[in-house]
Amino acid sequence: MGNSLKAILAFVPSKKCQKYLLEDLEEMPVDKMVDLSGRQMRRLPLHICSFRELVKLYLSDNNLNHLPPELEQLQNLQILALDFNNFKALPLVVCTLKQLCILYLGNNKLCSLPLELRLLQNLKTLWIESNCLQYLPEVVCELSLLKTLHAGSNALRSLPPQLQCLQELRTIWLSGNLLSEFPPVLLDMPFLEVIDVDRNSIQFFPSLAHLPGLKLVIYDHNPCRNAPKVAKGVRRVGRWSEETPEPRKRSGAVVEIMLDEKPLLPPAAKTEPE
């Protein structure tokens, strides 16, 4: 009943209804954080845009498909969560928030990202998982400080060569895409620490032993006939990892050995900037 009432009130512009949705949030919170997740909102209450010192704004799990231009007033914002909404395009006003360090865009309906995203040069973590991306927008490759990229559960078939320009990138999650081969660009990124290509269509893995920074590679649920070779101490999660040997050929036949171990998944909890 509570959620249904909030869904109805989200349409009503009166001050009383907006006050109910904001739960008497009339002044700037001491912790400089506002969490309006799961309120069934279809629009952001403009009152929030007056909190100019706001650092964290969580709008997850609503029915938002646009944002007001007044959001540009939040120039101190470092974390913005827009995941689990109905965005078909990223509102350009988001790209004016130049102090953003973490941007959550997962579980929307995005097919692309605007070129204006390049303005977010302080961005360190970008979540774009569970959208409708058939390719990784090249503008992502212009986010020079990016350290973590979550792009799983899309329809990616390849990665752009420009990705190797992201020399601060340490973690890339690509689980649940349509990769038919291991992305060649990742072989030229020695600074990567975590590579996740779980649940794709990769049939062969090249050696990753030359990547000195690699700590973990997740490659399970691919139709591969080999495990990626890695340097000593690198953790592998998938068939024929360190717990079991790779299949041995006998008279042309391949004996497959399956692991009981479940693959690791990217962290579900939202992280804070370093």
Side-chain angles (χ1 to χ4, degrees), residues 4-17:
S4 299
L5 180 58
K6 287 180 179 179
I8 295 173
L9 293 180
F11 284 103
V12 184
S14 73
K15 290 184 178 180
K16 288 185 178 180
C17 292

Side-chain angles (χ1 to χ4, degrees), residues 18-119:
Q18 294 300 302
K19 186 175 181 180
Y20 175 80
L21 286 173
L22 293 176
E23 295 182 351
D24 295 326
L25 185 60
E26 297 180 354
E27 298 181 357
M28 173 73 187
V30 176
D31 60 2
K32 300 182 179 182
M33 179 186 76
V34 169
D35 188 351
L36 295 176
S37 301
R39 306 297 180 92
Q40 305 297 314
M41 294 188 305
R42 294 182 181 272
R43 59 184 176 182
L44 176 66
L46 289 180
H47 183 57
I48 297 300
C49 299
S50 67
F51 298 160
R52 297 185 179 227
E53 299 302 316
L54 201 64
V55 173
K56 306 172 186 177
L57 178 57
Y58 295 95
L59 302 173
S60 307
D61 193 18
N62 280 293
N63 293 308
L64 300 172
N65 57 28
H66 70 281
L67 294 172
E70 289 83 355
L71 190 73
E72 185 177 4
Q73 299 177 75
L74 304 182
Q75 285 301 311
N76 290 299
L77 207 61
Q78 295 181 23
I79 300 176
L80 177 60
L82 300 174
D83 46 330
F84 292 94
N85 276 284
N86 293 316
F87 292 104
K88 293 183 179 179
L90 178 64
L92 292 183
V93 67
V94 173
C95 301
T96 68
L97 306 174
K98 297 182 180 180
Q99 296 304 314
L100 279 183
C101 296
I102 301 178
L103 179 58
Y104 298 101
L105 300 175
N107 290 273
N108 279 285
K109 302 174 182 177
L110 301 174
C111 295
S112 63
L113 293 173
L115 292 177
E116 288 80 356
L117 189 73
R118 62 164 65 104
L119 298 175

Side-chain angles (χ1 to χ4, degrees), residues 9-259:
L9 293 180
F11 284 103
V12 184
S14 73
K15 290 184 178 180
K16 288 185 178 180
C17 292
Q18 294 300 302
K19 186 175 181 180
Y20 175 80
L21 286 173
L22 293 176
E23 295 182 351
D24 295 326
L25 185 60
E26 297 180 354
E27 298 181 357
M28 173 73 187
V30 176
D31 60 2
K32 300 182 179 182
M33 179 186 76
V34 169
D35 188 351
L36 295 176
S37 301
R39 306 297 180 92
Q40 305 297 314
M41 294 188 305
R42 294 182 181 272
R43 59 184 176 182
L44 176 66
L46 289 180
H47 183 57
I48 297 300
C49 299
S50 67
F51 298 160
R52 297 185 179 227
E53 299 302 316
L54 201 64
V55 173
K56 306 172 186 177
L57 178 57
Y58 295 95
L59 302 173
S60 307
D61 193 18
N62 280 293
N63 293 308
L64 300 172
N65 57 28
H66 70 281
L67 294 172
E70 289 83 355
L71 190 73
E72 185 177 4
Q73 299 177 75
L74 304 182
Q75 285 301 311
N76 290 299
L77 207 61
Q78 295 181 23
I79 300 176
L80 177 60
L82 300 174
D83 46 330
F84 292 94
N85 276 284
N86 293 316
F87 292 104
K88 293 183 179 179
L90 178 64
L92 292 183
V93 67
V94 173
C95 301
T96 68
L97 306 174
K98 297 182 180 180
Q99 296 304 314
L100 279 183
C101 296
I102 301 178
L103 179 58
Y104 298 101
L105 300 175
N107 290 273
N108 279 285
K109 302 174 182 177
L110 301 174
C111 295
S112 63
L113 293 173
L115 292 177
E116 288 80 356
L117 189 73
R118 62 164 65 104
L119 298 175
L120 302 182
Q121 284 300 308
N122 284 307
L123 207 61
K124 295 182 179 180
T125 299
L126 177 62
W127 294 63
I128 51 175
E129 78 287 357
S130 299
N131 276 286
C132 305
L133 298 170
Q134 296 185 16
Y135 62 93
L136 184 68
E138 293 185 7
V139 67
V140 173
C141 305
E142 299 184 44
L143 304 173
S144 60
L145 295 184
L146 199 65
K147 296 183 66 175
T148 303
L149 176 61
H150 292 263
S153 299
N154 280 285
L156 304 181
R157 296 181 181 274
S158 63
L159 297 180
Q162 297 89 330
L163 193 69
Q164 65 179 303
C165 296
L166 297 182
Q167 297 191 12
E168 296 298 320
L169 194 65
R170 297 294 180 267
T171 303
I172 185 165
W173 304 94
L174 299 167
S175 175
N177 278 287
L178 300 176
L179 300 172
S180 60
E181 67 172 347
F182 186 83
V185 65
L186 299 185
L187 300 176
D188 296 323
M189 301 178 70
F191 35 81
L192 283 175
E193 296 179 359
V194 178
I195 299 175
D196 174 19
V197 289
D198 180 39
R199 300 181 185 280
N200 278 276
S201 301
I202 301 173
Q203 299 187 25
F204 175 79
F205 280 96
S207 174
L208 306 180
H210 66 289
L211 300 179
L214 195 61
K215 297 178 181 178
L216 170 67
V217 56
I218 306 173
Y219 63 95
D220 210 7
H221 301 98
N222 280 280
C224 57
R225 294 294 182 180
N226 74 306
K229 296 185 183 301
V230 294
K232 185 177 180 180
V234 177
R235 170 79 167 150
R236 298 186 300 179
V237 177
R239 293 194 297 177
W240 318 309
S241 64
E242 51 266 86
E243 286 82 3
T244 53
E246 293 190 26
R248 292 175 296 171
K249 291 185 178 180
R250 293 181 180 177
S251 303
V254 176
V255 180
E256 294 189 2
I257 303 176
M258 300 293 291
L259 279 182

